[in-house]
Amino acid sequence: MNIPNILTLLRVFLIPILVLFFLLPFNWSYLAASSIFALASVTDWLDGYLARKWRQSTALGAFLDPVADKLLVATALLLLAQQHHNLYLTLPALIIICREIVVSALREWMAELGKRSKVAVSSLGKWKTAAQMLALIILLANPPEPTPWVIAGYVLLNISAVLTLWSMLLYLKAAAPHLSANDKP
């Protein structure tokens, strides 16, 4: 166990706390939930940075980091979709969650073929993540009313969904030659 892995585990531990604060019936609960999500998002960047800088990458960290990210984002998207009840949020949430499932399965399959590097994280994925995290921080911080902040959050989330689809198509294109019936793990 090292500091980067502890930060990743902290991110997982923060998920039920995020849910709790989001569901509290107080006006300040939005800002508290958004702050918890922002803290968890910073740990996502920090654990990877420290693991590389201190050369403390581990198999546990390589497994747990993307799982923690997906759990955090899916939880925030589900909370927001339930509360906002509109297509501007629900459709991109559905796209993002479904894409994460498809790309995770694709990466697992490619790893079994020994071709994991063909579907490694790209710079487009990093932009997608940045837009997504900022959108979620904004949306978690505000009640579901059509304010300029919420509209900005919807716009960023929809941009993130477009980048999500685009990156998924690029991953599928890179993996396509290896997805024939002749390639078996």
Side-chain angles (χ1 to χ4, degrees):
M1 191 59 59
N2 58 33
I3 291 176
N5 287 348
I6 291 169
L7 289 171
T8 302
L9 290 170
L10 173 64
R11 191 158 60 256
V12 173
F13 175 75
L14 287 173
I15 293 170
I17 297 170
L18 164 69
V19 172
L20 174 70
F21 275 92
F22 186 80
L23 296 176
L24 287 174
F26 304 111
N27 288 336
W28 55 263
S29 67
Y30 293 111
L31 189 54
S34 178
S35 298
I36 292 164
F37 184 87
L39 173 64
S41 298
V42 168
T43 69
D44 179 26
W45 171 81
L46 187 59
D47 65 12
Y49 172 78
L50 293 177
R52 286 184 299 277
K53 182 175 178 158
W54 295 343
R55 294 187 179 108
Q56 292 185 345
S57 296
T58 64
L60 175 64
F63 162 73
L64 194 55
D65 183 64
V67 171
D69 298 343
K70 287 164 185 43
L71 290 173
L72 177 68
V73 168
T75 299
L77 288 169
L78 290 172
L79 288 170
L80 289 165
Q82 180 274 331
Q83 187 180 57
H84 284 247
H85 299 290
N86 66 49
L87 198 58
Y88 306 114
L89 197 138
T90 304
L91 183 59
L94 181 64
I95 289 168
I96 291 166
I97 291 170
C98 288
R99 180 265 189 196
E100 293 302 335
I101 293 168
V102 169
V103 170
S104 293
L106 180 65
R107 285 187 175 133
E108 182 178 333
W109 175 257
M110 294 300 285
E112 287 186 32
L113 296 176
K115 309 276 186 192
R116 175 73 162 87
S117 64
K118 300 281 184 190
V119 288
V121 176
S122 68
S123 60
L124 179 61
K126 295 194 182 292
W127 283 104
K128 180 257 326 169
T129 299
Q132 181 178 276
M133 295 303 191
L134 183 57
L136 293 174
I137 288 168
I138 291 169
L139 291 167
L140 287 167
N142 292 281
E145 299 163 3
T147 64
W149 280 109
V150 170
I151 293 168
Y154 289 161
V155 168
L156 277 171
L157 192 63
N158 279 275
I159 289 169
S160 173
V162 168
L163 293 175
T164 290
L165 285 175
W166 185 9
S167 68
M168 181 183 73
L169 291 174
L170 292 176
Y171 291 138
L172 288 170
K173 182 179 175 186
H178 308 286
L179 295 176
S180 72
N182 298 332
D183 283 345
K184 295 181 179 149

